[in-house]
Amino acid sequence: AVAEGDWYAYTFFEPVDARRAFPCFDEPWAKIPWRLTLRVPKGNRAFANAPVEAEEDAGKDTRITFAESKPLPTYLVAFVVGPFDVVDGGTGGAAKVPVRFLVPKGRGPETAYAASVTGRMIDLLERATGVPYPYEKCDVAVVPRFWGTMEHPGIVALGQPLTLIKKEDDSRQRRERYAEIAVHELAHHWFGDLVTMAWWDDTW
């Protein structure tokens, strides 16, 4: 994706595109822990399902190694690369997991509403399920010109038109739309991510 002249990369593997990125059994039942290493051009940042474990100089690039993820099917493996602004969204859940927004450069202030409510959604979902939030962090990757969403654990993707609200466009309707969609995607961290159907025809 291109935003204001800068390039950003986002993965979206559902249902069977992970096999285009790496050799794998690209089926929902095949859940394993993943350890990713990305080599990205300097001046860019990279994020994935699990937290960053190490960053090393690699000449013109930076080599970024991520901690081992929880067991995931391939369609939920995700990573993003670009010159992001990172907006602090506080914490969520009993474990106080960090909530952050990975936003195209210069658009950070437009996450004001989303950053104020997303951690509280995790609190509410923990109470509703009786199960602690199952992952180490909750990044929200804001994807330019994308109306879709995707429940990648630890790095949920939410489209820019949904998540970024300029001051002049702020309204109750825009806020409710964000809350409705975001809580749906976060609920998938329990139903679909932690507990995953064996095959696509088992979706509930």
Side-chain angles (χ1 to χ4, degrees):
V2 181
E4 303 299 327
D6 293 309
W7 281 92
Y8 298 84
Y10 302 83
T11 57
F12 191 103
F13 290 153
E14 187 184 38
V16 288
D17 279 339
R19 65 188 67 181
R20 298 173 65 188
F22 42 76
C24 58
F25 292 101
D26 204 7
E27 300 180 1
W29 62 266
K31 293 175 71 170
I32 62 166
W34 295 87
R35 180 179 288 276
L36 302 180
T37 299
L38 300 180
R39 189 166 170 152
V40 306
K42 285 185 176 169
N44 289 274
R45 306 180 71 174
F47 303 87
N49 303 98
V52 172
E53 190 172 73
E55 293 191 20
E56 304 170 86
D57 187 281
K60 294 181 179 179
D61 301 325
T62 303
R63 184 183 296 108
I64 302 174
T65 302
F66 297 90
E68 187 173 273
S69 75
K70 301 288 178 63
L72 302 175
T74 45
Y75 82 94
L76 291 175
V77 174
F79 50 88
V80 300
V81 178
F84 296 99
D85 285 350
V86 179
V87 177
D88 182 7
T91 61
K96 305 291 185 191
V97 297
V99 178
R100 302 180 301 181
F101 289 78
L102 318 177
V103 187
K105 192 165 61 177
R107 304 293 298 272
E110 296 170 45
T111 64
Y113 175 70
S116 72
V117 298
T118 304
R120 287 159 51 201
M121 294 178 188
I122 296 174
D123 298 339
L124 292 170
L125 287 164
E126 280 192 348
R127 274 188 266 163
T129 61
V131 177
Y133 178 77
Y135 304 100
E136 302 93 337
K137 64 183 179 74
C138 180
D139 288 340
V140 177
V142 181
V143 187
R145 295 183 303 282
F146 176 60
W147 281 98
T149 56
M150 185 61 198
E151 67 268 16
H152 309 117
I155 186 165
V156 61
L158 297 176
Q160 172 185 311
L162 172 72
T163 311
L164 301 187
I165 305 175
K166 295 180 179 178
K167 276 188 177 181
E168 61 268 27
D169 297 328
D170 198 359
S171 67
R172 178 171 178 172
Q173 183 179 23
R174 288 290 304 272
R175 292 181 176 208
E176 287 179 349
R177 183 65 175 155
Y178 173 80
E180 175 188 8
I181 300 299
V183 79
H184 170 100
E185 296 305 328
L186 289 172
H188 274 302
H189 283 58
W190 285 262
F191 303 99
D193 296 0
L194 180 63
V195 179
T196 307
M197 64 271 177
W199 188 241
W200 301 105
D201 60 4
D202 193 35
T203 302
W204 59 88

